Each structure stands twice: as structure tokens, then as C-alpha cells.
Amino acid sequence: MDKDSLLSVVEANCGKTQGDYSDVSWAVFETALQEAESVLTDDNAIQEDIDNALVELETAIAGLYKESVIVLSGNLSKAYDGHEVTAAGIVAQTKEITGEVAYKFYTDKACTNEAAEVKNAGTYYVKAFGANANVENAQAESNVLSFTISPAALTIQGVTVEQKSEGKTLKAVVTAVEFGGLVPGENLVLETDYTATAVYNNEKASAVTKVTVTINLKESVINYVLPDNVWENNVILDKVEYPEGIWVEGIRDLTYTGAKQTLDIKVYDGE
């Protein structure tokens, strides 16, 4: 029996260590090497066993390939700005990768739900894929990188309040709110995206009455947050309800100027 060729190949490769070789290719090599060594020590091995062991070992040696690696780093976290996130801020360190690295974004940590768009506030995950330079049609995957798009902070720049009378009661009604910090082209709609309630600090007629407006964003507004949802404003009461039988002739509406003013009116009791 001729074992010289098999012995030569075994001796030339038995000192190999896994190093950067992939787990899969290394396991195949170890199995073939152990089988070859077993045949070499088997006094009953026939030539066919020896030849088969040699073919298996040489095939396993030729199939050894280094592991391909993609390691991602970087921080894509930001406040909502209306722009879609791209992979421009990611650093990808690669080894044994051929061609371009492709990125995919997901909405779950397990990376099973691919995100159609990465723009709105929330937590996202990104993973990279690349072609293994050593194995045809084999693909390498990177680690998973997470990032957060936080809601943008709004400010209240102004509130428009109108008064409304119900019987003998004056009520303040919010008709508009001016927000600062909105992304250009976006707006919030009263009673659709937020609610606003207004309460007089003092409902008695006076030149200036302070009104406290409380604004709450609805749950559907995921891209914005309102740190201060209370706005205090001074408004002029331009309508006062009088008891039945009392009516007024003349100017009753004044604009507050800070200076003393005179009302030119006549009050009549009865018809």
C-alpha cells in the first residue's frame, strides 16, 4: 500500500491553526485531517481508503477560507428634522469583503422588520451586508447598530384667544396657536393634533384680563414634544354681559395703553 502521498500532505498541514479561517471551512478541514491520520495508522487500510482520504484532505485544504468581517460604528441619533436618515454617518470596517457594503434599516432589534422610511421619531437598527471575498455567493453580515430619532422640541410663540359669552358667563376660547420649532412645511391643527383650553384668571370686566392657556399635544404627534405646555396671555375684554333691563349706549371697547382713559357712555335702566 502506498501511503507516502497522504503522509506528505498530512505532515505539511497538521500544524495549521484556525486563526482567521471560518468556522465552517475549518471544521471540514479538521474532519478530513483526522480521517487521514486514522487511515495512516490503520494497517488494514486498503489503497482505496488511502486514495479517498487524500482526495478529501486536499479538497478540505483547498476549501479553507478566511472569515469575512464587517464591523459598524458611529452615531446616527438626532432630533427630528423632517429629513430621512442615511448611512452617511456610519463607519464600516471590513475584512475579506469584496465590492460595496449595503445597509438595511429595521424597526426591531432582531432585524426582521425592514423600515420603509427612517425619518419619524423612534428607535431604529441598522445592519450591513457584503460579499465574502473568498467564497462565491456567500454573504457576510455586520453587527447591529442602534440609534434614536428624538421628538423635536416646540415652543409656544403666541396664542389667539377670543371670548365667548354663555348666559352671564364669559368664556375664553383659543382659536389659534403659533408654534416655534416646527419643521418647515409642517403645522399642527387645533383639535386634530393638539387641544387647547383657556381659563380667565379673573372673569370680571377690566381693561386687561390675564388668561392661562394649557396646550397638550395628542399621542399621534410623535415627532414633536412640548416641554412647556402652559401659556399666559393678557387679553382685552371687549364684551360684557349686563343684567336684564340694563343697556349701554356709547363706546365700551378700549385698547389698554397703560394710561388713564375715559369712557363716554350712558347706562339706561329699563326700556
Side-chain angles (χ1 to χ4, degrees), residues 23 30 32 45 61 112 204 234:
D23 292 339
E30 277 193 318
I61 293 170
T112 57
K204 292 182 179 179
N234 292 333

Side-chain angles (χ1 to χ4, degrees), residues 71-113:
V71 178
L72 299 185
S73 61
N75 185 9
L76 297 180
S77 295
K78 65 172 185 176
Y80 173 75
D81 59 8
H83 298 297
E84 191 167 0
V85 173
T86 68
I90 298 177
V91 176
Q93 295 179 318
T94 63
K95 184 167 63 174
E96 303 298 327
I97 296 292
T98 183
E100 296 292 327
V101 171
Y103 298 90
K104 289 186 179 181
F105 293 89
Y106 302 88
T107 58
D108 63 315
K109 191 174 183 180
C111 296
T112 57
N113 299 317

Side-chain angles (χ1 to χ4, degrees), residues 3-261:
K3 295 183 179 181
D4 291 346
S5 296
L6 180 59
L7 178 61
S8 177
V9 175
V10 168
E11 289 178 341
N13 292 277
C14 63
K16 284 185 182 296
T17 57
Q18 180 171 359
D20 292 336
Y21 290 125
S22 70
D23 292 339
V24 174
S25 66
W26 182 255
V28 173
F29 166 74
E30 277 193 318
T31 299
L33 180 62
Q34 291 170 2
E35 180 62 26
E37 289 173 336
S38 176
V39 170
L40 286 175
T41 58
D42 184 1
D43 293 335
N44 296 319
I46 61 176
Q47 192 62 48
E48 184 180 1
D49 296 333
I50 298 169
D51 294 341
N52 288 340
L54 179 59
V55 170
E56 290 294 329
L57 181 56
E58 288 179 333
T59 301
I61 293 170
L64 280 172
Y65 64 90
K66 292 185 177 181
E67 193 73 77
S68 55
V69 178
I70 307 174
V71 178
L72 299 185
S73 61
N75 185 9
L76 297 180
S77 295
K78 65 172 185 176
Y80 173 75
D81 59 8
H83 298 297
E84 191 167 0
V85 173
T86 68
I90 298 177
V91 176
Q93 295 179 318
T94 63
K95 184 167 63 174
E96 303 298 327
I97 296 292
T98 183
E100 296 292 327
V101 171
Y103 298 90
K104 289 186 179 181
F105 293 89
Y106 302 88
T107 58
D108 63 315
K109 191 174 183 180
C111 296
T112 57
N113 299 317
E114 192 169 352
E117 185 180 54
V118 186
K119 182 177 73 172
N120 295 323
T123 299
Y124 298 89
Y125 305 85
V126 59
K127 200 172 183 181
F129 301 85
N132 190 306
N134 305 297
V135 182
E136 188 176 358
N137 297 325
Q139 192 175 55
E141 299 181 2
S142 73
N143 57 307
V144 178
L145 202 64
S146 66
F147 63 95
T148 300
I149 300 177
S150 57
L154 293 180
T155 56
I156 305 172
Q157 294 184 328
V159 174
T160 302
V161 179
E162 292 182 0
Q163 59 187 6
K164 175 174 147 184
S165 61
E166 293 182 0
K168 300 295 185 287
T169 304
L170 283 175
K171 288 190 174 182
V173 179
V174 179
T175 58
V177 178
E178 182 182 349
F179 292 100
L182 284 167
V183 169
E186 294 187 356
N187 54 59
L188 297 179
V189 180
L190 180 64
E191 303 304 336
T192 298
D193 299 321
Y194 66 95
T195 57
T197 55
V199 178
Y200 284 120
N201 291 14
N202 184 352
E203 293 186 12
K204 292 182 179 179
S206 63
V208 176
T209 298
K210 183 174 287 189
V211 175
T212 300
V213 178
T214 302
I215 299 169
N216 290 302
L217 298 183
K218 292 193 173 182
E219 291 182 0
S220 57
V221 184
I222 63 172
N223 289 326
Y224 295 101
V225 64
L226 197 58
D228 184 6
N229 64 345
V230 177
W231 172 269
E232 289 190 353
N233 195 15
N234 292 333
V235 298
I236 298 168
L237 291 178
D238 57 8
K239 183 177 180 181
V240 179
E241 294 290 334
Y242 291 89
E244 186 177 354
I246 301 292
W247 58 284
V248 178
E249 180 183 87
I251 300 174
R252 293 183 295 157
D253 300 339
L254 291 177
T255 300
Y256 178 68
T257 63
K260 183 177 180 181
Q261 300 180 69

